[in-house]
Amino acid sequence: MKYSTTLPVKPLPTAEKFSGKGPAYTRRFHVMAKPTGSRCNIDCNYCFYLHKEQLLEQDRHSGMSDEVLETFIKQYIDSQDGEQVVFSWQGGEPTLMGLAYFEKIVVLQKKYQKPGQRIENDLQTNGILLNDNWARFLRQHNFLVGISIDGPAELHDRYRVTRSGKPTFEKVMAGVAALKRHSVPFNALVTVNRTNARFPLEVYRFLTRELGATYIQFNPCVEPVDFKQTAPQFWQDDTIPVTGSRRARPGDLDSIVTDWSVDPDDWGRFLIAVFEEWVNNDLGRVQVNLFETAVAQTMGMPAQICITSEFCGKGLAIEKNGDIFSCDHYVYPEYKLGNVQSTKLAHMAFSERQKAFGLGKRDTLPAACKRCPYLKLCYGECPKNRIVRSEEGELGMNYLCPGIKAFFDYAQPILVGIATLLQRKTVEPA
């Protein structure tokens, strides 16, 4: 990934619409849009994005301008050849832009929508500002909402607090109640941190039985201690510890990760406990991103999420000033591709630099990963988490590897069983 930053942002032939010469192709990529930048109305201790205000020298009081917004929407739609174009609005906290701003978004999308093209929107939010007016709008325009919530109150409020340190759980649940009143579909996004990782069943049962979520994303919190200044893959090589060592865990005075980062072994135990509960009680009713993709990959199908794909690079991020970055977790100056006001979005998404960035996920795997029996289920997980050395001392090992391996040691036979049942079902005569 680091090597990609040395390459020019030179458009590939696929950056332009297919001309009918040579093999046919379809341009598809995804952009996470951050209209507020890093601005947020709460102050989560573990947030990996709040510091971007200082790092990128953002103006705290401004959001994405109407000019940048329209340029982005037009170019994003023009750059896609498929029938579906998905806009993802994140932050920071995107609802701080106000409801009128999102009404403007819908108008602009309709303005540039191509015949036969389907525009879809999803909104990732902490839920605090959601009310009946928001819910009516989201329902009317078929927004899918992702609610950031870390479990029941005592676990959620451990890190997700206001700027004055007050709890936010009740406000989030009030926002969820508004969504439910207006039948707005929503997902739950859980940051699995050092605290809630130790209570897997409490978290999962709250999400499914009390919150009522039927789609859940579990994101492990892994943050190097210098994440506010140092871009991924730009770490000091001589300070990187071996996987499983004391410095490769949270809590040690000399740890390479923050105190709130999830412990690798706790991550494994969390996944095992939730997977067992899911298989026994919710299989086919509740979708869990990590389990759904594991089943699909066991069946020989492509990964459903980027972190378990062989390659990445198709998920970019746009900041409020129009700057484009290689990935949502790589919003650092080193990984800036350009700006939509001066460079075509497609030319950045389909460029030599972005291609190298995406292939780097595969090409930088250490030997330990290449010989791992679970390689095709994991592919080294997210490159941003490859912050430790293998037992042989090779760079590029994933911090979470001990937990990931423990999970697949437990789950693989069950995944094979589920996959076998699904494959039999698909070939049964009608």
Side-chain angles (χ1 to χ4, degrees):
M1 313 305 238
K2 184 178 181 180
Y3 163 74
S4 72
T5 65
T6 67
L7 300 177
V9 186
K10 179 182 177 181
L12 297 165
T14 50
E16 299 295 346
K17 191 172 180 66
F18 178 60
S19 63
K21 300 176 182 179
Y25 60 82
T26 300
R27 297 176 303 170
R28 295 290 299 274
F29 65 100
H30 183 240
V31 177
M32 291 186 182
K34 299 176 177 293
T36 63
S38 61
R39 187 162 61 101
C40 192
N41 53 348
I42 62 175
D43 191 14
C44 303
N45 302 100
Y46 58 57
C47 184
F48 76 99
Y49 221 81
L50 287 176
H51 73 284
K52 304 298 184 188
E53 182 175 289
Q54 292 78 36
L55 183 70
L56 304 180
E57 299 180 350
Q58 294 179 344
D59 177 7
R60 176 180 296 184
H61 304 292
S62 67
M64 184 178 287
S65 68
D66 291 352
E67 181 183 10
V68 172
L69 178 67
E70 183 162 6
T71 299
F72 164 59
I73 289 175
K74 180 181 186 300
Q75 289 195 23
Y76 191 43
I77 292 174
D78 286 345
S79 301
Q80 307 279 348
D81 295 324
E83 296 179 355
Q84 178 192 50
V85 181
V86 179
F87 285 83
S88 296
W89 305 98
Q90 302 195 1
E93 176 49 46
T95 58
L96 287 172
M97 294 301 293
L99 186 52
Y101 189 86
F102 278 84
E103 291 171 339
K104 187 183 308 176
I105 285 172
V106 172
V107 171
L108 289 171
Q109 289 172 340
K110 290 179 180 177
K111 177 179 177 180
Y112 294 107
Q113 185 176 10
K114 301 174 186 176
Q117 200 173 53
R118 187 170 73 256
I119 304 292
E120 296 186 3
N121 290 279
D122 58 70
L123 174 73
Q124 187 63 43
T125 173
N126 57 39
I128 289 176
L129 295 181
L130 297 181
N131 54 28
D132 287 317
N133 289 335
W134 268 104
R136 276 190 287 268
F137 167 83
L138 295 169
R139 176 63 178 172
Q140 179 185 354
H141 297 287
N142 300 310
F143 273 64
L144 174 63
V145 178
I147 295 291
S148 297
I149 189 165
D150 287 352
E154 61 273 17
L155 296 175
H156 175 90
D157 289 333
R158 175 67 177 83
Y159 296 113
R160 301 188 65 82
V161 295
T162 66
R163 293 185 180 277
S164 60
K166 295 180 180 179
T168 62
F169 179 81
E170 293 301 331
K171 293 182 178 180
V172 176
M173 293 302 287
V176 171
L179 297 179
K180 289 181 177 180
R181 282 195 297 272
H182 295 274
S183 301
V184 178
F186 68 91
N187 301 336
L189 187 151
V190 180
T191 299
V192 182
N193 52 67
R194 191 180 177 195
T195 300
N196 64 358
R198 300 171 184 172
F199 302 91
L201 294 183
E202 289 85 347
V203 170
Y204 180 76
R205 288 171 180 170
F206 163 78
L207 296 172
T208 55
R209 300 178 186 181
E210 295 183 46
L211 188 69
T214 56
Y215 186 88
I216 302 168
Q217 300 176 64
F218 289 119
N219 289 351
C221 182
V222 180
E223 291 176 350
V225 290
D226 60 351
F227 77 97
K228 292 184 179 181
Q229 297 84 30
T230 306
Q233 276 71 54
F234 279 81
W235 307 294
Q236 287 186 296
D237 291 352
D238 59 355
T239 67
I240 295 177
V242 172
T243 180
S245 63
R246 63 173 182 80
R247 292 187 58 235
R249 297 181 181 280
D252 188 272
L253 290 176
D254 199 25
S255 176
I256 59 164
V257 295
T258 58
D259 283 345
W260 51 79
S261 293
V262 65
D263 182 278
D265 289 341
D266 285 344
W267 176 238
R269 286 187 284 265
F270 181 93
L271 291 177
I272 290 169
V274 172
F275 182 75
E276 183 177 40
E277 178 82 1
W278 176 74
V279 168
N280 290 332
N281 297 295
D282 295 320
L283 182 62
R285 186 184 72 85
V286 175
Q287 292 180 294
V288 178
N289 65 334
L290 296 175
F291 305 156
E292 297 290 333
T293 194
V295 172
Q297 288 172 263
T298 300
M299 296 173 68
M301 299 168 63
Q304 298 179 354
I305 52 179
C306 60
I307 62 170
T308 61
S309 299
E310 185 175 5
F311 313 103
C312 61
K314 289 296 185 73
L316 291 76
I318 182 170
E319 265 294 334
K320 62 182 180 180
N321 66 345
D323 284 346
I324 301 294
F325 294 85
S326 287
C327 171
D328 180 39
H329 287 280
Y330 283 74
V331 178
Y332 291 82
E334 293 87 342
Y335 292 96
K336 177 182 169 182
L337 295 169
N339 188 287
V340 291
Q341 297 288 75
S342 55
T343 306
K344 277 188 176 182
L345 180 57
H347 287 186
M348 292 181 277
F350 300 102
S351 64
E352 292 285 355
R353 183 185 293 185
Q354 189 64 6
K355 178 182 178 182
F357 176 86
L359 292 176
K361 186 178 192 295
R362 176 199 65 187
D363 295 343
T364 58
L365 283 173
C369 288
K370 294 176 182 177
R371 64 173 180 264
C372 177
Y374 307 126
L375 172 63
K376 293 185 177 180
L377 296 174
C378 171
Y379 288 113
E381 211 251 356
C382 184
K384 79 173 183 69
N385 295 333
R386 297 179 186 176
I387 59 177
V388 297
R389 296 177 183 269
S390 69
E391 292 178 350
E392 294 83 9
E394 191 175 0
L395 293 170
M397 199 72 183
N398 196 295
Y399 166 86
L400 296 168
C401 181
I404 294 172
K405 289 185 74 173
F407 168 67
F408 283 125
D409 281 342
Y410 169 82
Q412 189 182 42
I414 304 171
L415 291 169
V416 171
I418 295 171
T420 301
L421 288 173
L422 291 174
Q423 287 167 332
R424 285 177 181 171
K425 188 175 181 179
T426 60
V427 297
E428 286 179 356

